[in-house]
């Protein structure tokens, strides 16, 4: 049974807010981050991030597209470690990532001394790429932006960045990489309130 449903807005749907609310959905303010991939995207990065990229490159970090199932498996291993130790949120099974890659969704991997230390799953729609899952620090994001530049992608949707007014390190990172904040919010519809509250407490 479905416990709750959530709509994450990737654009400004404020004109339809009353429609959602009349249908039982509750609006929650929430940031989305967009990074324009144009000729100036490197200049919009904060100095500290450019320095971190150069440091990572000096240490031998590079990025490339995944070319085998083994690449995807190692990326997933890194991602799973991140979710277990820091994110503390559910992560889809490895099969989800393998199936997405086999169907043409781009997976990037970050390597250091021939070892995969990070990567990203980045679906695309038209000239927009979406940073669905990522680990590996500054080089992973930099790799996504370079990949977008090389493939004619004009916009990277770096996805969520927390609630306005609540400190959030991920938001600071994305903005430092040249991101622009948009408070487009989310809509939540709780179908099983007791199960939802229990699940929320367990996740916390």
């Amino acid at each position: 049974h479905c416990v709750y449903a959530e709509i994450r807005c990737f654009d400004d749907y404020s004109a339809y807010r009353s429609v959602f609310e009349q249908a039982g959905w509750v609006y929650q303010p929430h940031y989305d981050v967009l990074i324009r991939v144009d000729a100036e995207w490197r200049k919009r990065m904060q100095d500290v991030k450019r320095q971190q990229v150069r440091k990572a490159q000096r240490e031998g970090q590079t990025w490339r597209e995944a070319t085998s199932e083994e690449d995807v498996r190692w990326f997933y291993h890194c991602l799973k470690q991140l979710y277990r130790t820091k994110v503390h949120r559910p992560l889809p099974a490895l099969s989800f990532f393998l199936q997405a890659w086999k169907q043409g969704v781009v997976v990037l991997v970050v390597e250091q001394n021939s070892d995969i230390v990070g990567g990203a799953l980045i679906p695309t729609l038209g000239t927009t790429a979406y940073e669905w899952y990522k680990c590996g620090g500054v080089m992973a994001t930099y790799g996504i932006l370079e990949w977008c530049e090389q493939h004619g992608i004009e916009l990277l949707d770096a996805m969520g960045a927390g609630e306005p007014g609540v400190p959030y390190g991920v938001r600071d990172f994305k903005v430092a990489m040249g991101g622009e904040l948009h408070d487009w919010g989310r809509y939540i519809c709780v179908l099983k309130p007791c199960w939802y509250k229990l699940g929320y407490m367990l996740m916390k």
Side-chain angles (χ1 to χ4, degrees), residues 14 20 60 79 81 94 101 105 124 147 153 158 160 172 177 182 194:
S14 57
F20 282 106
L79 189 66
Q81 288 292 106
L94 171 62
W101 175 72
V105 178
T124 59
W147 182 89
I153 300 297
D172 298 337
M177 292 299 293
H182 297 269
C194 292

Side-chain angles (χ1 to χ4, degrees), residues 28-31 161-168 171:
Q28 293 184 343
H30 204 278
Y31 281 127
E163 301 174 20
V166 179
Y168 190 39
R171 178 196 310 144

Side-chain angles (χ1 to χ4, degrees), residues 26-87:
V26 177
Y27 176 80
Q28 293 184 343
H30 204 278
Y31 281 127
D32 193 59
V33 179
L34 301 181
I35 304 177
R36 288 178 286 128
V37 188
D38 54 20
E40 305 294 317
W41 70 265
R42 288 179 180 83
K43 295 181 180 179
R44 284 193 294 271
M45 290 173 57
Q46 293 181 7
D47 289 342
V48 64
K49 293 305 172 189
R50 287 197 291 267
Q51 292 168 5
Q52 289 174 0
V53 169
R54 289 194 291 268
K55 182 176 184 291
Q57 291 172 332
R58 288 195 301 270
E59 293 173 348
Q61 288 193 15
T62 58
W63 66 269
R64 62 176 175 83
E65 287 191 43
T67 57
S68 66
E69 285 192 15
E70 190 68 11
D71 286 345
V72 179
R73 290 177 186 276
W74 275 109
F75 158 59
Y76 183 78
H77 173 74
C78 297
L79 189 66
K80 193 172 183 179
Q81 288 292 106
L82 175 68
Y83 270 67
R84 180 184 296 124
T85 59
K86 291 186 178 182
V87 178

Side-chain angles (χ1 to χ4, degrees), residues 90-144:
L91 181 68
L94 171 62
S95 58
F96 168 81
F97 293 85
L98 288 171
Q99 188 66 22
W101 175 72
K102 288 176 181 178
Q103 292 182 354
V105 178
V106 173
V107 174
L108 299 186
V109 294
V110 176
E111 288 185 316
Q112 184 168 1
N113 301 323
S114 300
D115 293 326
I116 292 175
V117 296
L121 178 73
I122 46 171
T124 59
L125 181 62
T127 58
T128 300
Y130 299 87
E131 185 186 279
W132 271 15
Y133 292 96
K134 188 210 72 175
C135 63
V138 69
M139 183 53 70
T141 300
Y142 189 79
I144 296 171

